[in-house]
């Protein structure tokens, strides 16, 4: 029974995806943050590009944006290397990295915090909930 439980749980983990893929916006040198629409969404390379990168360049003719997928190492090195040039003034270059889907798009509006009422519910992805429930039941039945 324990072997069955282990193999089922291991299969669940493989099925839900240990290989992670993130989606990011991708564009080159656009003005006014115009590339934050669905046609600019790309699937990054699985297990290689695990972050989204956004570059903000201040030029004579305005602010330009570059957005892309990136590996965490390359993105973090680039962002820290350009930190001294991130002044917001002419010829400024700011590079930021993030690791959630489409995080290199426009900033999300913050949701208003309710003044009173029940506490917020924890949201668990359905596949994870199914797997945890199965594991718990199988452990209880053994």
């Amino acid at each position: 029974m324990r072997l069955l439980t282990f193999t089922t749980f291991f299969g669940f983990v493989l099925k839900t995806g240990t290989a992670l893929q993130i989606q990011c916006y991708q564009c080159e040198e656009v003005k006014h943050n115009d590339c934050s629409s669905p046609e600019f969404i790309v699937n990054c390379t699985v297990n290689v590009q695990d972050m989204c990168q956004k570059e903000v360049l201040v030029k004579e003719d305005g602010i330009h944006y570059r957005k892309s997928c990136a590996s965490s190492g390359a993105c973090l090195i680039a962002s820290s290397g350009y930190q001294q040039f991130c002044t917001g003034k002419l010829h400024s270059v700011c590079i930021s990295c993030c690791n959630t889907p489409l995080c290199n798009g426009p900033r999300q509006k913050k949701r208003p915090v309710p003044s009173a009422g029940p506490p917020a519910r924890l949201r668990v992805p359905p596949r994870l909930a199914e797997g945890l429930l199965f594991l718990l039941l199988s452990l209880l039945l053994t």
Side-chain angles (χ1 to χ4, degrees):
M1 180 68 182
R2 288 181 191 234
L3 179 59
L4 176 63
T5 303
F6 175 77
T7 55
T8 305
F9 183 72
F10 187 72
F12 168 79
V13 169
L14 288 178
K15 182 180 176 188
T16 57
T18 55
L20 300 176
Q21 184 174 40
I22 190 171
Q23 287 186 319
C24 301
Y25 291 101
Q26 182 169 307
C27 59
E28 284 291 324
E29 297 272 341
V30 296
K31 293 171 86 174
H32 311 296
N33 212 4
D34 283 343
C35 70
S36 296
S37 56
E39 65 263 21
F40 293 101
I41 296 173
V42 297
N43 292 320
C44 302
T45 306
V46 177
N47 289 336
V48 175
Q49 296 173 314
D50 54 350
M51 296 191 101
C52 298
Q53 180 172 314
K54 180 165 135 181
E55 297 178 48
V56 181
L57 304 102
V58 181
K59 296 185 171 188
E60 290 85 3
D61 63 341
I63 298 174
H64 293 249
Y65 295 87
R66 281 188 201 138
K67 298 178 181 186
S68 63
C69 298
S71 68
S72 54
C75 194
L76 296 172
I77 289 169
S79 65
S80 64
Y82 276 91
Q83 201 167 25
Q84 63 187 352
F85 302 109
C86 185
T87 62
K89 298 178 181 177
L90 188 60
H91 304 296
S92 170
V93 179
C94 299
I95 300 176
S96 58
C97 310
C98 53
N99 62 358
T100 57
L102 305 176
C103 58
N104 63 342
R107 289 186 180 177
Q108 299 294 323
K109 293 181 181 179
K110 292 187 177 182
R111 294 182 185 167
V113 177
S115 58
R121 294 180 54 190
L122 176 63
R123 294 182 187 254
V124 178
R127 280 187 163 174
L128 180 59
E130 285 175 17
L132 293 174
L133 181 61
F134 177 79
L135 179 64
L136 180 61
L137 287 172
S138 59
L139 290 173
L140 289 172
L141 297 173
T142 56

